[in-house]
Amino acid sequence: MNQKASKLLPVPIILDIRNISKSFGSIRAVSNASIKLEAGKIHGLIGPNGAGKSTLFNIVAGVYKPDSGSVELAGKNVTGLPAHKMFASGLLRTFQIPHEYSNMTSVENLMMVPDKQLGENLSNALFRPQYFRAQEEETLSKALEIIDFLGLKRVQNELAGNLSGGQKKLLELGRTLMVDAKIVLLDELGAGVNRTLLNTLSNNIKKLNRERGQSYFIIEHNIEFISRLCDKVTVMVEGEVATEGTPQQVLNNPMVVDAYFGGGKRMDWL
Ligand SMILES: Nc1ncnc2c1ncn2[C@@H]1O[C@H](COP(=O)(O)OP(=O)(O)OP(=O)(O)O)[C@@H](O)[C@H]1O
Ligand SMILES: [Mg+2]
């Protein structure tokens, strides 16, 4: 194909969020928000506290239904689908490690990630025990590989409840790696994580993005983390999309500079 023709090809969109609105009582948490995420890219979502970022994530992940608007995942309308269906379609979001998992080790936590073929595995467990054992061994070796990748070897047999805040975050990321997600949503993965670990996290995300071609949608207050990692950034303010572009464009946008770096000083949400 010649260069001219390839330039005309549209960039594949993995996630198409169109005109999403959501109110909680009198609070309009998300107001007519539209964001397009390009496949294989890392897209950041920033904005002040209460801007509606997590609410938008929850809508995309199927936790809340929007009042209006639509969400398309890889060209398929997935608006309002429940979380487990979104998961099965290849969209994953991190959640804090559930309370009931804190008495399991790091490795066991990874092995507990629901498998898309759970039903099939169950019948194999009952009727083809040998096959099931092979599956379990495969799951274990995958979990150990991820533990190694995330630098959690030292605490692989430690109960998840005893891990530090940062190690728990790494384990959360690890849980998303157990399945082959098309797109991973990370809501403030870096919160409470020290600088060194934050670097490890961002390097790992970059590596996964490159090696697996996975798309990422990341909410983060740490601007350095966002600029280092993201191809594109959307800024939300009071439920609306205020602006978007490359990290450089966004951070040099006079509106963003005025509103958030007023007087050359970073606002506390950054
Ligand atoms: N379940 C809920 N019930 C009622 N109000 C809610 C609910 N979830 C969010 N809100 C409200 O919606 C608005 C947006 O909240 P949201 O959590 O989406 O903001 P955010 O951008 O993620 O903020 P932060 O950076 O502090 O996490 C806020 O005013 C919040 O109080
Ligand atoms: Mg939030």
Side-chain angles (χ1 to χ4, degrees):
M1 192 186 315
N2 66 38
Q3 251 190 337
K4 211 170 170 187
S6 73
K7 269 189 192 151
L8 292 174
L9 279 178
V11 185
I13 300 296
I14 183 79
L15 193 66
D16 195 353
I17 301 170
R18 286 191 210 161
N19 308 103
I20 290 287
S21 293
K22 174 80 182 169
S23 293
F24 297 105
S26 59
I27 296 170
R28 201 163 159 84
V30 178
S31 187
N32 204 28
S34 297
I35 305 173
K36 280 186 201 298
L37 270 75
E38 291 174 2
K41 298 278 169 72
I42 304 178
H43 196 119
L45 183 59
I46 64 171
N49 293 122
K53 306 179 298 293
S54 296
T55 305
L56 187 65
F57 260 38
N58 280 325
I59 289 168
V60 169
V63 179
Y64 298 142
K65 282 192 176 166
D67 298 335
S68 55
S70 66
V71 180
E72 270 186 21
L73 178 64
K76 196 175 129 214
N77 186 354
V78 291
T79 320
L81 280 189
H84 70 274
K85 290 241 167 90
M86 294 302 294
F87 175 85
S89 313
L91 183 141
L92 247 164
R93 73 162 293 181
T94 51
F95 283 102
Q96 288 195 331
I97 294 163
H99 185 64
E100 61 270 30
Y101 286 11
S102 48
N103 281 328
M104 289 186 212
T105 67
S106 305
V107 173
E108 284 165 351
N109 259 276
L110 294 186
M111 293 181 72
M112 285 302 288
V113 171
D115 191 322
K116 281 178 226 166
Q117 278 91 44
L118 195 63
E120 192 195 325
N121 275 357
L122 195 61
S123 70
N124 278 324
L126 295 173
F127 304 116
R128 291 168 65 196
Q130 226 135 17
Y131 175 84
F132 182 65
R133 221 168 296 135
Q135 284 270 304
E136 207 177 45
E137 265 164 36
E138 202 184 303
T139 309
L140 174 64
S141 74
K142 195 168 179 183
L144 290 173
E145 206 178 293
I146 290 169
I147 290 269
D148 201 21
F149 175 81
L150 295 174
L152 288 173
K153 229 172 171 166
R154 210 161 54 89
V155 290
Q156 71 181 41
N157 294 319
E158 190 59 67
L159 299 183
N162 294 342
L163 299 187
S164 75
Q167 290 168 331
K168 281 184 187 148
K169 296 276 179 184
L170 284 171
L171 199 58
E172 274 179 47
L173 181 63
R175 285 161 59 82
T176 71
L177 304 182
M178 286 298 289
V179 288
D180 294 322
K182 286 192 195 106
I183 177 162
V184 181
L185 274 53
L186 305 173
D187 191 347
E188 295 195 39
L189 192 71
V193 169
N194 78 37
R195 199 175 248 269
T196 318
L197 201 52
L198 205 58
N199 278 337
T200 311
L201 274 176
S202 68
N203 288 340
N204 284 343
I205 292 169
K206 236 183 187 147
K207 201 166 154 194
L208 290 164
N209 165 255
R210 258 200 322 262
E211 288 175 6
R212 292 191 176 192
Q214 258 171 353
S215 311
Y216 281 84
F217 195 15
I218 297 178
I219 296 178
E220 203 45 76
H221 284 288
N222 185 321
I223 279 295
E224 206 184 313
F225 183 82
I226 285 284
S227 356
R228 192 167 348 120
L229 208 53
C230 297
D231 300 294
K232 228 173 178 186
V233 181
T234 298
V235 185
M236 269 181 90
V237 179
E238 293 178 6
E240 292 178 9
V241 169
T243 184
E244 66 180 6
T246 63
Q248 220 189 353
Q249 283 168 341
V250 164
L251 298 175
N252 288 318
N253 179 315
M255 188 276 288
V256 177
V257 174
D258 274 1
Y260 308 115
F261 299 102
K265 202 170 147 268
R266 288 184 170 194
M267 295 291 281
D268 55 1
W269 65 274
L270 293 171

